[in-house]
Amino acid sequence: MDKNIIYVDHAATTYVKPEVFEKMKPYFTELFGNPSSIYALGRESRKAVENARSEIAFCLGAHPTEIYFTASGTEADNWAIKGAAYANIKKGRHLITSAIEHHAVLHCFGFLEKEGFEVTYLPVDEKGFVNPDDLKKAIKPDTTLVSIMFANNEIGTIQPIKELAAIAREKGVLFHTDAVQAMGNIDVKVNDLGVDLLSMSAHKFYGPKGVGALYIRKGVRINNFMHGGAQERNKRAGTENVAGVIGMAAALKFAYENLEEYNRHLRKLSDRLIDSVMERIPYVRLNGDREKRLPGNVNLSFQFIEGESLLLMLDMKGIQASSGSACTSGSLDPSHVLLAIGLSHETAHGSLRITFGERNTEEEVDYIVENLVEIVGKLRQMSPLYEDFVRKSGK
Ligand SMILES: *Cc1c(COP(=O)(O)O)cnc(C)c1O
């Protein structure tokens, strides 16, 4: 990457770690056999895929036969939600999720509503937390699935998943969590959490794009999503992304071995950014909870300015960040997450998401702060909203 570029959008995607890429390489060029082929070259690929499955299962505290490879986090979410909804249609058509899910989850439920399912969208409080009592009250006799994300991709809020999953389990309702942002940041263990279905995606934890996995607890039946060959024990057809799953396993293994150190590094950078911005820039708020948030996530709303202008001006200084969520950029609608935590459209529009990664440094944080002070000041000088505010408050 260009040395002059400061990449602080790791929630959108990460680079592939060089060590991870080295492990993947032979499976593109030399060891290219189809894992379903029975000759030596095929068996070699099969062995590598099963080894990757075991490594991922070990990280999660799951059994290898509970791990199914997919082509993305989005596919894992779609499969879990639609697969569980249709598999249990005789029991009922009521499903529960939260208002702040990623679009990969939210739009699945939108689709299912059109298909005749009933969906309850649990609200969140001003920090982005789902209230377990709300979940308790929402479960009905015909509820078949609850899907609540582990950690939010925009504001970093980490949900009390163990408590929420226990409520669903007690009522005999399946529990899915989109753990795409949590993986690599949190020591996720499926049995400790008590979840039935869990989605992940490699490109959010220094693995390659285009590969993910769905954990399906033993005994849980969901409908197939892909139809075709007998891959993934007849549940997910399609020739395995051999290099991809090897990369995903290597990246996850590395992440689990370095969780504490990684968390400490990211937390140091985030705290430095939050503290400096709060000290030096007025009329700014931190979105999400100060403590129970992803260690590398900082989401700020600057009053009186447009997040898009802020982003463009940061980009001119070599700083690559995000406004709200990568999935909503390009559209003018304010983020559904920021609205759900109670922000006005105006405040939501002035938001900036910075997500740190392992290569970021304290010097970079200081450079970002200097530029934020300057750019926010400039934009406010040009803002009619700010002018209005200053006139009214007599400042
Ligand atoms: C990135 C992301 C996804 C989608 O994963 P892809 O592999 O990019 O399809 C789903 N959920 C969350 C929370 C994410 O951050």
Side-chain angles (χ1 to χ4, degrees):
M1 192 162 62
D2 185 335
K3 282 265 184 318
N4 296 316
I5 282 186
I6 297 179
Y7 183 78
V8 282
D9 199 14
H10 294 80
T13 195
T14 57
Y15 47 85
V16 176
K17 281 172 86 71
E19 307 90 289
V20 169
F21 184 50
E22 284 308 315
K23 291 217 164 114
M24 295 170 66
K25 261 174 161 171
Y27 292 90
F28 287 108
T29 50
E30 309 293 326
L31 304 172
F32 60 86
N34 187 320
S36 300
S37 303
I38 56 170
Y39 40 73
L41 200 59
R43 291 200 306 271
E44 189 88 32
S45 294
R46 164 65 48 210
K47 212 170 73 192
V49 167
E50 294 316 318
N51 186 43
R53 197 188 310 280
S54 295
E55 283 179 352
I56 290 167
F58 179 80
C59 289
L60 289 171
H63 193 271
T65 56
E66 296 174 309
I67 306 297
Y68 295 86
F69 294 125
T70 65
S72 63
T74 299
E75 187 195 322
D77 284 339
N78 271 261
W79 185 15
I81 294 163
K82 295 175 191 168
Y86 284 108
N88 293 290
I89 205 160
K90 288 211 178 84
K91 186 188 164 205
R93 287 175 165 261
H94 179 235
L95 314 164
I96 300 172
T97 188
S98 87
I100 60 165
E101 299 296 314
H102 189 275
H103 283 152
V105 167
L106 223 42
H107 291 172
C108 284
F109 284 106
F111 166 79
L112 289 169
E113 278 183 302
K114 288 201 193 98
E115 293 280 293
F117 287 86
E118 182 201 347
V119 181
T120 299
Y121 297 89
L122 297 176
V124 294
D125 67 14
E126 73 288 353
K127 300 280 179 69
F129 292 110
V130 170
N131 183 341
D133 285 334
D134 288 344
L135 174 58
K136 253 182 226 160
K137 285 181 209 144
I139 296 177
K140 306 192 294 181
D142 63 338
T143 307
T144 57
L145 173 72
V146 176
S147 178
I148 296 172
M149 73 197 316
F150 205 130
N152 187 268
N153 48 300
E154 295 187 40
I155 57 174
T157 302
I158 298 170
Q159 301 294 340
I161 290 299
K162 190 172 173 169
E163 193 181 344
L164 296 166
I167 292 167
R169 169 158 295 189
E170 202 191 296
K171 301 268 175 84
V173 176
L174 290 178
F175 191 93
H176 166 251
T177 188
D178 173 344
V180 173
Q181 290 290 333
M183 298 304 291
N185 283 302
I186 296 169
D187 184 11
V188 174
K189 292 277 182 278
V190 286
N191 289 325
D192 176 50
L193 290 167
V195 299
D196 300 302
L197 300 153
L198 178 144
S199 313
M200 71 171 85
S201 176
H203 77 99
K204 303 291 175 75
F205 51 80
Y206 307 98
K209 291 169 187 54
V211 57
L214 179 64
Y215 157 79
I216 308 177
R217 179 178 294 282
K218 185 168 185 271
V220 169
R221 285 190 197 290
I222 68 171
N223 283 11
N224 285 1
F225 189 60
M226 288 291 191
H227 299 95
Q231 292 90 356
E232 301 295 283
R233 296 178 305 289
N234 276 314
K235 281 194 189 289
R236 198 281 185 183
T239 299
E240 297 85 342
N241 176 356
V242 179
V245 304
I246 288 166
M248 178 160 64
L252 196 63
K253 190 163 171 239
F254 185 89
Y256 269 73
E257 282 165 359
N258 294 281
L259 269 182
E260 261 180 54
E261 200 188 320
Y262 185 56
N263 265 264
R264 217 175 306 121
H265 175 64
L266 296 188
R267 184 59 82 155
K268 187 178 65 190
L269 301 179
S270 299
D271 283 345
R272 190 178 181 94
L273 178 66
I274 295 167
D275 292 341
S276 318
V277 165
M278 293 297 174
E279 197 185 301
R280 297 187 52 191
I281 305 179
Y283 314 117
V284 54
R285 59 167 277 161
L286 174 69
N287 296 313
D289 190 64
R290 181 75 207 242
E291 295 306 321
K292 286 182 195 147
R293 70 184 306 125
L294 289 171
N297 172 294
V298 179
N299 189 309
L300 300 162
S301 292
F302 298 92
Q303 289 290 337
F304 317 115
I305 65 171
E306 280 290 333
E308 298 293 317
S309 322
L310 179 56
L311 269 191
L312 287 175
M313 289 173 80
L314 285 171
D315 187 21
M316 287 193 275
K317 298 288 185 177
I319 300 165
Q320 326 257 287
S322 161
S323 71
S325 158
C327 305
T328 53
S329 68
S331 103
L332 285 175
D333 295 336
S335 137
H336 65 286
V337 176
L338 297 178
L339 296 182
I341 61 170
L343 265 56
S344 66
H345 280 237
E346 252 169 52
T347 306
H349 270 307
S351 301
L352 173 74
R353 181 187 73 179
I354 286 176
T355 45
F356 292 113
E358 60 174 9
R359 288 179 187 162
N360 291 128
T361 64
E362 289 181 278
E363 290 71 42
E364 288 178 339
V365 174
D366 295 344
Y367 178 78
I368 293 169
V369 172
E370 289 310 321
N371 280 288
L372 276 176
V373 169
E374 195 185 312
I375 296 168
V376 169
K378 250 189 220 160
L379 289 173
R380 281 182 179 163
Q381 285 314 312
M382 303 188 298
S383 157
L385 290 171
Y386 187 61
E387 203 179 302
D388 232 36
F389 171 81
V390 171
R391 186 150 24 81
K392 279 190 192 135
S393 62
K395 289 198 178 159

